Amino acid sequence: MQRGNLMSYGPVINECYRRLGVYVDKIYKGAKPADLPVELPTKVELVINLKTAKTLGLTIPQSLLLRADEVVQ
């Protein structure tokens, strides 16, 4: 997120990798991949990059900043 993106809202990547490990474990134990349920991410995060906002001349409302999981200075 520190490479110029203004905002990002999406799944927590580390949580996705953890869930992937659970799937791999089930497959190694003999489960058929086609029988495993598809899961949607349950944890999402909002990241706002104030440096990019400043470069673009944008003001991010305080109410949105308070809801962000991470604010990049």
Side-chain angles (χ1 to χ4, degrees), residues 1-55:
M1 180 60 187
Q2 298 177 3
R3 295 191 180 144
N5 292 340
L6 177 60
M7 287 189 233
S8 172
Y9 182 73
V12 177
I13 298 300
N14 291 338
E15 180 67 20
C16 292
Y17 288 142
R18 189 185 71 74
R19 294 298 310 151
L20 176 65
V22 172
Y23 268 68
V24 170
D25 181 58
K26 288 179 181 182
I27 292 169
Y28 278 144
K29 290 180 178 176
K32 294 179 185 176
D35 294 338
L36 295 175
V38 175
E39 295 183 11
L40 296 174
T42 56
K43 293 183 180 180
V44 294
E45 65 182 352
L46 172 63
V47 180
I48 301 173
N49 190 329
L50 288 179
K51 184 177 179 182
T52 300
K54 182 179 178 182
T55 301

